[in-house]
Short mmCIF file of all heavy atoms in Angstrom, two decimals:
data_model
loop_
_atom_site.label_atom_id
_atom_site.label_comp_id
_atom_site.label_asym_id
_atom_site.label_seq_id
_atom_site.Cartn_x
_atom_site.Cartn_y
_atom_site.Cartn_z
N VAL A 960 42.22 133.96 90.45
CA VAL A 960 42.73 133.23 89.29
C VAL A 960 42.23 131.79 89.36
O VAL A 960 41.83 131.32 90.43
CB VAL A 960 44.28 133.24 89.24
CG1 VAL A 960 44.81 134.62 88.91
CG2 VAL A 960 44.88 132.74 90.57
N ASN A 961 42.23 131.09 88.22
CA ASN A 961 41.87 129.68 88.25
C ASN A 961 43.10 128.82 87.92
O ASN A 961 44.21 129.33 87.75
CB ASN A 961 40.69 129.39 87.32
CG ASN A 961 41.02 129.61 85.85
OD1 ASN A 961 42.18 129.50 85.44
ND2 ASN A 961 40.01 129.92 85.05
N GLU A 962 42.89 127.51 87.84
CA GLU A 962 44.03 126.59 87.66
C GLU A 962 44.79 126.87 86.37
O GLU A 962 46.00 126.70 86.30
CB GLU A 962 43.54 125.15 87.66
CG GLU A 962 42.92 124.78 88.99
CD GLU A 962 42.62 123.29 89.11
OE1 GLU A 962 43.15 122.51 88.32
OE2 GLU A 962 41.83 122.95 90.01
N TYR A 963 44.06 127.30 85.34
CA TYR A 963 44.72 127.57 84.06
C TYR A 963 45.65 128.77 84.18
O TYR A 963 46.78 128.75 83.69
CB TYR A 963 43.67 127.79 82.96
CG TYR A 963 42.85 126.54 82.71
CD1 TYR A 963 41.64 126.34 83.35
CD2 TYR A 963 43.34 125.55 81.85
CE1 TYR A 963 40.91 125.18 83.14
CE2 TYR A 963 42.62 124.40 81.63
CZ TYR A 963 41.39 124.21 82.29
OH TYR A 963 40.68 123.06 82.08
N HIS A 964 45.17 129.84 84.83
CA HIS A 964 46.05 131.00 85.05
C HIS A 964 47.29 130.57 85.84
O HIS A 964 48.41 130.98 85.53
CB HIS A 964 45.35 132.10 85.86
CG HIS A 964 44.10 132.65 85.25
ND1 HIS A 964 42.87 132.50 85.83
CD2 HIS A 964 43.91 133.36 84.13
CE1 HIS A 964 41.96 133.09 85.08
NE2 HIS A 964 42.57 133.63 84.04
N ILE A 965 47.06 129.78 86.87
CA ILE A 965 48.15 129.41 87.77
C ILE A 965 49.22 128.64 87.02
O ILE A 965 50.42 128.89 87.18
CB ILE A 965 47.59 128.60 88.97
CG1 ILE A 965 46.71 129.50 89.84
CG2 ILE A 965 48.73 127.99 89.79
CD1 ILE A 965 45.90 128.78 90.88
N MET A 966 48.79 127.71 86.16
CA MET A 966 49.77 126.93 85.40
C MET A 966 50.41 127.77 84.29
O MET A 966 51.61 127.69 84.06
CB MET A 966 49.11 125.67 84.85
CG MET A 966 48.86 124.67 85.97
SD MET A 966 48.19 123.14 85.36
CE MET A 966 46.47 123.49 85.43
N ALA A 967 49.60 128.60 83.62
CA ALA A 967 50.14 129.44 82.55
C ALA A 967 51.18 130.43 83.09
O ALA A 967 52.16 130.73 82.42
CB ALA A 967 49.00 130.19 81.85
N MET A 968 50.93 130.91 84.29
CA MET A 968 51.85 131.89 84.90
C MET A 968 52.98 131.19 85.67
O MET A 968 53.81 131.86 86.28
CB MET A 968 51.08 132.79 85.87
CG MET A 968 49.96 133.61 85.25
SD MET A 968 50.58 134.93 84.23
CE MET A 968 51.30 135.98 85.48
N ARG A 969 52.94 129.86 85.71
CA ARG A 969 53.93 129.05 86.44
C ARG A 969 53.98 129.40 87.93
O ARG A 969 55.06 129.36 88.54
CB ARG A 969 55.33 129.21 85.84
CG ARG A 969 55.47 128.66 84.42
CD ARG A 969 56.93 128.80 83.99
NE ARG A 969 57.12 128.55 82.58
CZ ARG A 969 57.41 127.34 82.07
NH1 ARG A 969 57.50 126.31 82.84
NH2 ARG A 969 57.57 127.21 80.76
N PHE A 970 52.84 129.77 88.50
CA PHE A 970 52.81 129.98 89.95
C PHE A 970 52.97 128.62 90.64
O PHE A 970 53.56 128.51 91.71
CB PHE A 970 51.49 130.62 90.39
CG PHE A 970 51.27 132.00 89.86
CD1 PHE A 970 49.98 132.44 89.58
CD2 PHE A 970 52.33 132.87 89.65
CE1 PHE A 970 49.76 133.73 89.10
CE2 PHE A 970 52.11 134.15 89.17
CZ PHE A 970 50.82 134.58 88.89
N ALA A 971 52.42 127.59 90.03
CA ALA A 971 52.55 126.22 90.54
C ALA A 971 52.30 125.27 89.38
O ALA A 971 51.63 125.64 88.40
CB ALA A 971 51.53 125.97 91.65
N THR A 972 52.84 124.06 89.50
CA THR A 972 52.59 123.05 88.47
C THR A 972 51.26 122.35 88.78
O THR A 972 50.71 122.50 89.88
CB THR A 972 53.69 121.97 88.46
OG1 THR A 972 53.63 121.27 89.72
CG2 THR A 972 55.07 122.58 88.29
N GLN A 973 50.79 121.56 87.81
CA GLN A 973 49.55 120.82 88.02
C GLN A 973 49.65 119.89 89.23
O GLN A 973 48.73 119.79 90.02
CB GLN A 973 49.25 120.00 86.76
CG GLN A 973 47.87 119.38 86.78
CD GLN A 973 47.39 119.03 85.38
OE1 GLN A 973 48.17 118.96 84.43
NE2 GLN A 973 46.11 118.79 85.26
N GLU A 974 50.82 119.24 89.35
CA GLU A 974 51.05 118.31 90.46
C GLU A 974 51.03 119.07 91.79
O GLU A 974 50.42 118.64 92.76
CB GLU A 974 52.40 117.58 90.32
CG GLU A 974 52.48 116.62 89.14
CD GLU A 974 52.58 117.31 87.77
OE1 GLU A 974 53.07 118.46 87.70
OE2 GLU A 974 52.13 116.70 86.77
N GLU A 975 51.72 120.20 91.82
CA GLU A 975 51.75 120.99 93.06
C GLU A 975 50.35 121.48 93.43
O GLU A 975 49.96 121.47 94.60
CB GLU A 975 52.69 122.20 92.89
CG GLU A 975 54.15 121.80 92.89
CD GLU A 975 55.08 122.92 92.42
OE1 GLU A 975 54.60 123.93 91.86
OE2 GLU A 975 56.30 122.77 92.58
N LEU A 976 49.60 121.89 92.43
CA LEU A 976 48.26 122.40 92.68
C LEU A 976 47.34 121.30 93.21
O LEU A 976 46.49 121.55 94.08
CB LEU A 976 47.69 123.00 91.38
CG LEU A 976 46.69 124.12 91.55
CD1 LEU A 976 47.19 125.20 92.48
CD2 LEU A 976 46.35 124.71 90.19
N ALA A 977 47.55 120.09 92.71
CA ALA A 977 46.75 118.95 93.21
C ALA A 977 47.07 118.71 94.68
O ALA A 977 46.16 118.46 95.49
CB ALA A 977 47.05 117.70 92.38
N VAL A 978 48.34 118.80 95.04
CA VAL A 978 48.74 118.63 96.44
C VAL A 978 48.11 119.73 97.29
O VAL A 978 47.52 119.48 98.36
CB VAL A 978 50.29 118.67 96.57
CG1 VAL A 978 50.72 118.72 98.02
CG2 VAL A 978 50.91 117.46 95.86
#
Side-chain angles (χ1 to χ4, degrees):
V960 289
N961 66 27
E962 297 189 17
Y963 296 94
H964 301 115
I965 293 169
M966 288 184 270
M968 300 288 292
R969 295 184 191 269
F970 296 148
T972 65
Q973 189 159 16
E974 293 73 27
E975 287 167 347
L976 209 51
V978 171

